[in-house]
């Protein structure tokens, strides 16, 4: 995707670019899409993104980059998005997210299933978070929920991961949890 492709589409609210075999996106390609609320780049061939691409998308609520070749999203910065709701980076090769999601206060749904995550941490800044999907992260061993008293996670899916020590997850902070899926794990008590 080249810079200027969407130049005069300032009122566009939804942009769907799935299944286009997109391999790269030039920086500032989305700069004129001021009203964009949904961006779906799923099922492409992206292995790297300059995450400054999303900086001018102040109205972005939904970002889908499922089924690409992304490995590291630790540079992703969505702090400036005041209405952000859905983050879907499932079916990639992501092994590191760093602090990329730690300050997205309005994010409600977090999809990172089918990746290579080993350790992940959620903190008190994620006050809007209600769903976490981490299924099929076969290397996932540790999940940290720190100071989540104000977070209302209702759904936690950890199906088919490497979480084997049930006490390696601190559920005591998840007072609003309604659905927990630990299927296809080898759970032990330590």
């Amino acid at each position: 995707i080249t810079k200027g492709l969407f130049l005069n589409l300032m009122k566009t609210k939804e942009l769907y670019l799935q299944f286009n075999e997109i391999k790269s996106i030039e920086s500032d390609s989305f700069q004129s899409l001021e009203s964009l609320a949904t961006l779906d780049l799923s099922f492409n061939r992206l292995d790297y993104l300059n995450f400054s691409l999303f900086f001018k998308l102040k109205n972005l609520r939904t970002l889908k980059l499922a089924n690409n070749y992304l490995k590291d999203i630790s540079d992703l910065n969505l702090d400036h998005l005041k209405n952000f709701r859905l983050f879907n980076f499932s079916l990639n090769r992501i092994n590191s997210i760093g602090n990329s999601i730690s300050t997205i206060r309005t994010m409600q749904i977090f999809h990172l299933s089918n990746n290579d995550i080993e350790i992940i941490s959620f903190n008190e800044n994620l006050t809007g978070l209600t769903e976490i999907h981490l299924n099929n992260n076969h290397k996932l061993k540790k999940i940290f929920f720190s100071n989540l008293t104000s977070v209302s996670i209702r759904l936690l899916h950890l199906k088919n991961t490497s979480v084997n020590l049930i006490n390696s997850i601190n559920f005591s902070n998840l007072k609003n949890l309604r659905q927990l899926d630990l299927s296809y794990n080898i759970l032990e008590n330590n």
Side-chain angles (χ1 to χ4, degrees):
I1 295 178
T2 57
K3 184 177 176 179
L5 181 63
F6 306 112
L7 195 56
N8 293 316
L9 302 178
M10 286 145 330
K11 294 185 181 186
T12 301
K13 294 194 183 284
E14 298 177 4
L15 180 58
Y16 299 96
L17 297 166
Q18 312 97 300
F19 297 99
N20 283 304
E21 298 195 23
I22 298 168
K23 292 180 183 175
S24 66
I25 302 172
E26 290 183 15
S27 42
D28 294 333
S29 291
F30 303 126
Q31 73 179 1
S32 64
L33 298 169
E34 300 165 3
S35 301
L36 197 65
T38 299
L39 177 59
D40 193 341
L41 289 158
S42 300
F43 297 92
N44 282 293
R45 294 176 177 232
L46 296 165
D47 62 0
Y48 171 78
L49 280 179
N50 179 341
F51 289 110
S52 65
L53 280 170
F54 310 117
F55 191 71
K56 295 195 178 178
L57 304 179
K58 303 221 183 289
N59 294 306
L60 194 64
R61 295 172 57 92
T62 300
L63 179 58
K64 295 179 181 179
L65 279 150
N67 210 334
N68 278 285
Y69 301 111
L70 298 171
K71 290 182 182 173
D72 187 350
I73 59 170
S74 55
D75 292 337
L76 177 65
N77 183 347
L78 301 175
D79 295 359
H80 62 290
L81 301 175
K82 304 300 179 218
N83 297 307
F84 193 73
R85 300 287 184 264
L86 175 74
F87 177 99
N88 187 347
F89 280 59
S90 296
L91 294 159
N92 277 283
R93 298 172 181 168
I94 298 168
N95 55 29
S96 176
I97 65 167
N99 293 323
S100 60
I101 62 157
S102 64
T103 56
I104 310 172
R105 293 184 183 278
T106 58
M107 179 173 54
Q108 294 174 345
I109 302 170
F110 178 77
H111 281 274
L112 201 62
S113 295
N114 299 83
N115 278 287
D116 294 324
I117 299 294
E118 291 182 40
I119 298 172
I120 193 164
S121 180
F122 298 93
N123 66 32
E124 73 277 358
N125 292 328
L126 301 169
T127 54
L129 193 58
T130 59
E131 294 183 21
I132 298 173
H133 301 265
L134 293 168
N135 296 328
N136 300 311
N137 275 287
H138 300 287
K139 296 179 182 178
L140 184 64
K141 292 181 173 89
K142 293 204 184 254
I143 303 163
F144 297 101
F145 296 105
S146 50
N147 302 321
L148 292 182
T149 52
S150 60
V151 178
S152 56
I153 296 171
R154 293 185 191 106
L155 182 143
L156 178 58
H157 283 193
L158 299 169
K159 182 173 28 176
N160 201 18
T161 64
S162 290
V163 175
N164 61 359
L165 295 175
I166 194 70
N167 55 355
S168 68
I169 307 169
N170 182 359
F171 294 110
S172 64
N173 288 327
L174 305 177
K175 296 181 186 342
N176 294 310
L177 194 62
R178 301 291 178 260
Q179 187 179 102
L180 175 62
D181 189 348
L182 292 168
S183 304
Y184 300 100
N185 285 292
I186 301 171
L187 298 176
E188 305 171 3
N189 227 347
N190 199 9

